Each structure stands twice: as C-alpha cells, then as structure tokens.
Amino acid sequence: ALEQWFSERFADYPHISLPGLDPYDYDGWFNRLAPELMARGSDYCEREWHGYVPSPQQLNQAFFRAVSRSNKCVLEPDCKHGDPDQS
C-alpha cells in the first residue's frame, strides 16, 4: 500500500529525472525530493494505519520499488551512476 501511495505521489510531478553523474549530489532535485516524500509517506502511514510508524528501511524499500516501477522516473542520458572511472 505504501509503494502504491508513492507511485500516486509521482503523478504530482513532471517526469522525474534520476541523478546523472553524481547521485550523491544532495542539491540534486531528486535527492531533495526523496526525503520529502519519505517524510510524507511516514505521516500517511501514521494517519491511515492508526499510529503505525514505518521503519526507515520500509520507507526506502517502498519508495525505490515505486521508482523502479514508475514510467514517470527516467534516467538522464549518458548516466554513469556516479562512477567517474566508468568509460
């Protein structure tokens, strides 16, 4: 249910570009979006499931499973996934 909730939240945004050369860039907008949506997801769980607080692992897993299944999330072209030595 939490994964579905995240998928529905992605509809609030235009296509989400996943990080390009530096996935650890905290100023990258996707990296700022993830913690915000996870916090909202935690609040959703508490409201909908009468005080249930999901673990950080549950939030991460549901969020990134939703990312992997969403057609809204696209990799930037020539994405090297943060490996500067990759050719």
Side-chain angles (χ1 to χ4, degrees), residues 18-31:
L18 297 178
L21 295 178
D22 188 3
Y24 301 106
D25 176 9
Y26 292 108
D27 292 328
W29 89 269
F30 181 81
N31 292 334

Side-chain angles (χ1 to χ4, degrees), residues 1-9 41 44-45 48-49 52 54 58-59 61-63 65-66 69:
L2 184 55
E3 182 180 333
Q4 179 63 33
W5 184 86
F6 280 126
S7 293
E8 291 169 1
R9 297 297 68 76
Y44 162 78
C45 290
E48 291 297 312
W49 299 323
Y52 177 77
Q58 288 172 313
L59 286 167
Q61 183 178 27
F63 179 81
R65 284 179 62 142
R69 293 183 174 152

Side-chain angles (χ1 to χ4, degrees), residues 6 13 16 32 64 70 80 87:
F6 280 126
Y13 300 92
I16 299 168
R32 290 189 314 248
F64 286 106
S70 175
K80 293 184 181 182
S87 303

Side-chain angles (χ1 to χ4, degrees), residues 31-59:
N31 292 334
R32 290 189 314 248
L33 174 66
E36 173 64 26
L37 282 178
M38 285 189 214
R40 288 175 54 197
S42 183
D43 291 343
Y44 162 78
C45 290
E46 287 186 63
R47 276 192 323 275
E48 291 297 312
W49 299 323
H50 310 289
Y52 177 77
V53 179
S55 71
Q57 181 178 358
Q58 288 172 313
L59 286 167

Side-chain angles (χ1 to χ4, degrees), residues 64-85:
F64 286 106
R65 284 179 62 142
V67 166
S68 71
R69 293 183 174 152
S70 175
N71 62 359
K72 301 271 300 174
C73 300
V74 294
L75 283 175
E76 292 177 355
D78 299 319
C79 180
K80 293 184 181 182
H81 303 291
D83 184 355
D85 297 324

